[in-house]
Amino acid sequence: MKTIFEALKQAEEQHKIVLLTITKNYGITIAEWKLLNLLRNHINTQDKLSIETGLDHSTLSRQLHSLQKKELIMSAAIGHKNRQLHYELTVAGDDTLEEANVKYASFQDRVFQLWSDEELNMLQILLNRLHKSMKKPL
């Protein structure tokens, strides 16, 4: 029998494969998909995105530039002396994100179709407890 961490690792690897397949079908990376979701939720400046993702500004700039080249987002200068950029989804970006999210939701539904609400709630509680326990210092 697998240990808990082995099972979690294997589940994470399978999840990543599916997510990679979904995002690749829409011409974006997993990181870009995550950024598009954040932008949809009005986390729309580099500072906010950096805090939310934990990415440094140079990495974030490259990813945002890639999304702009794909015409999935646009930017406008705001703030003091127009030095800060505000990003938002284009129509194509919104459509791409919506289609990818529908596909991802379908995957989630398929994975958990035989699980009761009680089982899903218990899993969520246990995973949250695991996460909290792992944050404790050694």
Side-chain angles (χ1 to χ4, degrees), residues 15 18-19 22 33 99-109:
H15 175 261
V18 171
L19 189 52
I22 291 170
W33 175 70
E99 291 173 21
N101 284 348
V102 165
K103 196 67 128 175
Y104 184 69
S106 174
F107 162 69
Q108 284 183 305
D109 291 345

Side-chain angles (χ1 to χ4, degrees), residues 70-134:
K70 294 175 183 179
E71 298 181 352
L72 299 177
I73 65 170
M74 58 185 165
S75 64
I78 60 166
H80 182 66
K81 297 184 182 179
N82 292 329
R83 294 186 68 182
Q84 188 174 29
L85 294 176
H86 167 91
Y87 296 92
E88 63 183 71
L89 299 175
T90 61
V91 172
D94 194 57
D95 291 346
T96 298
L97 180 59
E98 183 63 28
E99 291 173 21
N101 284 348
V102 165
K103 196 67 128 175
Y104 184 69
S106 174
F107 162 69
Q108 284 183 305
D109 291 345
R110 193 174 73 250
V111 168
F112 296 112
Q113 69 184 351
L114 301 177
W115 292 51
S116 69
D117 288 343
E118 184 179 317
E119 289 172 320
L120 288 170
N121 288 334
M122 181 56 70
L123 177 62
Q124 188 66 54
I125 289 166
L126 293 172
L127 289 172
N128 287 339
R129 185 185 298 170
L130 176 64
H131 182 255
K132 188 175 182 178
S133 295
M134 291 181 71

